Amino acid sequence: MSAQNLLKVAGLQMRFGGLLAVDGIDFDVRPNEVFAIIGPNGAGKTTVFNCVGGFYKPTAGDIVLDGHAITGQPSHMVARRGLVRTFQNIRLFKQLTVLENLMVAQHLKVNRNMLSGLFATPGYRRAERAALERAAYWLDRVGLKNVSNREAGTLSYGHQRRLEIARCMITDPRLLMLDEPAAGLNPQEKIELQQMVDGLRNEFGISVLLIEHDMSLVMGVSDRILVMEHGKPIMIGKPDEVRNDPRVIKAYLGED
Ligand SMILES: Nc1ncnc2c1ncn2[C@@H]1O[C@H](COP(=O)(O)OP(=O)(O)OP(=O)(O)O)[C@@H](O)[C@H]1O
């Protein structure tokens, strides 16, 4: 891997029948960087996310994570390489408790040996204890300690978003992909979300790839931003460059 990038996307294209939803998208995400993708509705942001995260197989292009080609690999494979994501429509195990959601996330990663689980070997019990400790740490870290035994589906929207992020972070990712994390949050929750993203990046050295419509969050948290329109790139730049670029203003406001 080049020290310059953790994720490299080149010539990405995704066609749905006659529709070119994404075409000619190139960008990289550097270590410890928050990189956002913005653009009007239907610009192709989610499609890029789904290609990078292993949910779609792109029609063309290359996706390289940490020096490994992951183009077209399924999401569980890219997750093993340290790329995890949240969803626009939150996807938790709603009938499980908050704590159970964090335990399940770890079992997918560490406990692949069913026999040791069945016979509760010392190694299994040790791993289970460690998993509980990690869950307790993350509950505390995202402010959900007091609701650890509540069913996830009964939490407020803001708390469900935090749990989704904790569930990603507990797997030790290198790249955290957040799909419209501010959707449905109130102004105070948005401020807390921005602080959380910033804090996670600083403390754990992760990179963050973000899709978001809330401009104050995007401008406040991102190092660089890719602006898309009709599946194509308009520009990549720092928040100030993007904010003042006439092409971006035109894409959002349309032509008179
Ligand atoms: N599975 C699919 N099958 C067919 N067309 C699709 C599919 N997914 C997305 N599209 C189309 O691709 C285009 C880009 O959609 P996409 O959801 O990626 O945009 P977006 O920028 O994420 O939009 P939004 O901000 O509204 O979420 C749209 O025209 C959409 O209708």
Side-chain angles (χ1 to χ4, degrees), residues 8 17 30 36 50 77-78 88 123 138 173 194 203 207 224:
K8 186 157 186 59
R30 299 167 186 163
N50 284 336
M77 294 289 286
V78 298
Q88 203 169 326
W138 278 104
Q194 181 172 335
E203 197 173 324
S207 304
R224 290 184 304 145

Short mmCIF file of all heavy atoms in Angstrom, two decimals, residues 8 17 30 36 50 77-78 88 123 138 173 194 203 207 224:
data_model
loop_
_atom_site.label_atom_id
_atom_site.label_comp_id
_atom_site.label_asym_id
_atom_site.label_seq_id
_atom_site.Cartn_x
_atom_site.Cartn_y
_atom_site.Cartn_z
N LYS A 8 -8.39 3.06 -2.55
CA LYS A 8 -8.24 3.71 -3.85
C LYS A 8 -9.33 3.19 -4.79
O LYS A 8 -9.50 1.98 -4.95
CB LYS A 8 -6.86 3.42 -4.43
CG LYS A 8 -6.59 4.18 -5.69
CD LYS A 8 -5.10 4.33 -5.95
CE LYS A 8 -4.84 5.23 -7.16
NZ LYS A 8 -5.41 6.58 -7.02
N GLY A 17 -29.09 -1.71 -16.11
CA GLY A 17 -29.79 -1.74 -17.39
C GLY A 17 -29.31 -0.59 -18.26
O GLY A 17 -28.11 -0.47 -18.53
N ARG A 30 -7.31 8.65 2.45
CA ARG A 30 -5.98 8.52 3.08
C ARG A 30 -6.11 8.03 4.53
O ARG A 30 -7.17 8.16 5.13
CB ARG A 30 -5.29 9.88 3.06
CG ARG A 30 -5.10 10.36 1.64
CD ARG A 30 -4.71 11.83 1.57
NE ARG A 30 -4.69 12.28 0.19
CZ ARG A 30 -4.71 13.55 -0.19
NH1 ARG A 30 -4.75 14.52 0.71
NH2 ARG A 30 -4.69 13.86 -1.46
N ALA A 36 -15.75 12.79 2.44
CA ALA A 36 -17.21 12.76 2.24
C ALA A 36 -17.55 12.73 0.76
O ALA A 36 -16.80 13.23 -0.08
CB ALA A 36 -17.85 13.98 2.89
N ASN A 50 -22.20 1.24 -2.20
CA ASN A 50 -22.54 -0.18 -2.33
C ASN A 50 -21.48 -0.94 -3.12
O ASN A 50 -21.25 -2.12 -2.86
CB ASN A 50 -23.92 -0.35 -2.96
CG ASN A 50 -25.03 -0.03 -1.96
OD1 ASN A 50 -24.83 -0.13 -0.75
ND2 ASN A 50 -26.18 0.36 -2.45
N MET A 77 -16.27 -10.34 3.09
CA MET A 77 -14.83 -10.42 2.81
C MET A 77 -14.16 -9.06 3.03
O MET A 77 -13.08 -8.98 3.63
CB MET A 77 -14.60 -10.85 1.35
CG MET A 77 -15.06 -12.24 1.04
SD MET A 77 -14.03 -13.47 1.81
CE MET A 77 -12.57 -13.36 0.78
N VAL A 78 -14.81 -7.99 2.55
CA VAL A 78 -14.18 -6.68 2.74
C VAL A 78 -14.21 -6.29 4.22
O VAL A 78 -13.31 -5.61 4.71
CB VAL A 78 -14.80 -5.58 1.84
CG1 VAL A 78 -14.60 -5.90 0.38
CG2 VAL A 78 -16.23 -5.31 2.14
N GLN A 88 -28.21 3.76 5.75
CA GLN A 88 -29.13 4.90 5.79
C GLN A 88 -30.36 4.54 6.64
O GLN A 88 -30.76 5.28 7.51
CB GLN A 88 -29.55 5.15 4.35
CG GLN A 88 -30.03 6.54 4.05
CD GLN A 88 -30.16 6.71 2.53
OE1 GLN A 88 -29.38 6.14 1.76
NE2 GLN A 88 -31.13 7.46 2.13
N GLY A 123 -10.52 -21.60 26.56
CA GLY A 123 -10.23 -20.60 25.53
C GLY A 123 -11.49 -19.85 25.13
O GLY A 123 -11.48 -18.63 24.97
N TRP A 138 -17.33 -0.16 24.80
CA TRP A 138 -17.99 0.60 23.72
C TRP A 138 -19.32 1.18 24.17
O TRP A 138 -19.71 2.27 23.72
CB TRP A 138 -18.10 -0.26 22.45
CG TRP A 138 -16.80 -0.19 21.73
CD1 TRP A 138 -15.83 -1.15 21.66
CD2 TRP A 138 -16.27 0.96 21.04
NE1 TRP A 138 -14.74 -0.68 20.97
CE2 TRP A 138 -14.99 0.61 20.58
CE3 TRP A 138 -16.76 2.24 20.78
CZ2 TRP A 138 -14.18 1.50 19.87
CZ3 TRP A 138 -15.97 3.13 20.07
CH2 TRP A 138 -14.70 2.76 19.63
N PRO A 173 -12.23 -1.63 12.88
CA PRO A 173 -12.09 -1.34 11.45
C PRO A 173 -10.93 -0.39 11.16
O PRO A 173 -10.44 0.29 12.07
CB PRO A 173 -13.41 -0.66 11.11
CG PRO A 173 -13.80 0.03 12.38
CD PRO A 173 -13.33 -0.87 13.48
N GLN A 194 -21.00 14.72 15.24
CA GLN A 194 -19.77 15.29 14.67
C GLN A 194 -18.60 15.11 15.64
O GLN A 194 -17.50 14.72 15.24
CB GLN A 194 -19.97 16.78 14.37
CG GLN A 194 -18.73 17.40 13.76
CD GLN A 194 -18.98 18.81 13.26
OE1 GLN A 194 -20.10 19.18 12.95
NE2 GLN A 194 -17.93 19.62 13.21
N GLU A 203 -8.75 9.18 17.99
CA GLU A 203 -8.33 8.21 18.99
C GLU A 203 -7.89 6.88 18.39
O GLU A 203 -6.95 6.26 18.86
CB GLU A 203 -9.49 7.97 19.97
CG GLU A 203 -9.06 7.33 21.25
CD GLU A 203 -10.20 7.26 22.25
OE1 GLU A 203 -11.02 8.22 22.29
OE2 GLU A 203 -10.28 6.27 22.96
N SER A 207 -9.93 5.78 9.19
CA SER A 207 -10.41 6.70 8.15
C SER A 207 -11.93 6.56 8.10
O SER A 207 -12.47 5.51 8.45
CB SER A 207 -9.82 6.33 6.80
OG SER A 207 -8.41 6.31 6.88
N ARG A 224 -11.65 16.17 3.06
CA ARG A 224 -11.88 16.40 1.63
C ARG A 224 -13.25 15.87 1.25
O ARG A 224 -13.81 15.00 1.93
CB ARG A 224 -10.80 15.69 0.79
CG ARG A 224 -9.42 16.32 0.92
CD ARG A 224 -8.43 15.62 -0.02
NE ARG A 224 -8.39 14.20 0.23
CZ ARG A 224 -8.23 13.26 -0.71
NH1 ARG A 224 -8.09 13.60 -1.97
NH2 ARG A 224 -8.20 11.97 -0.38
#
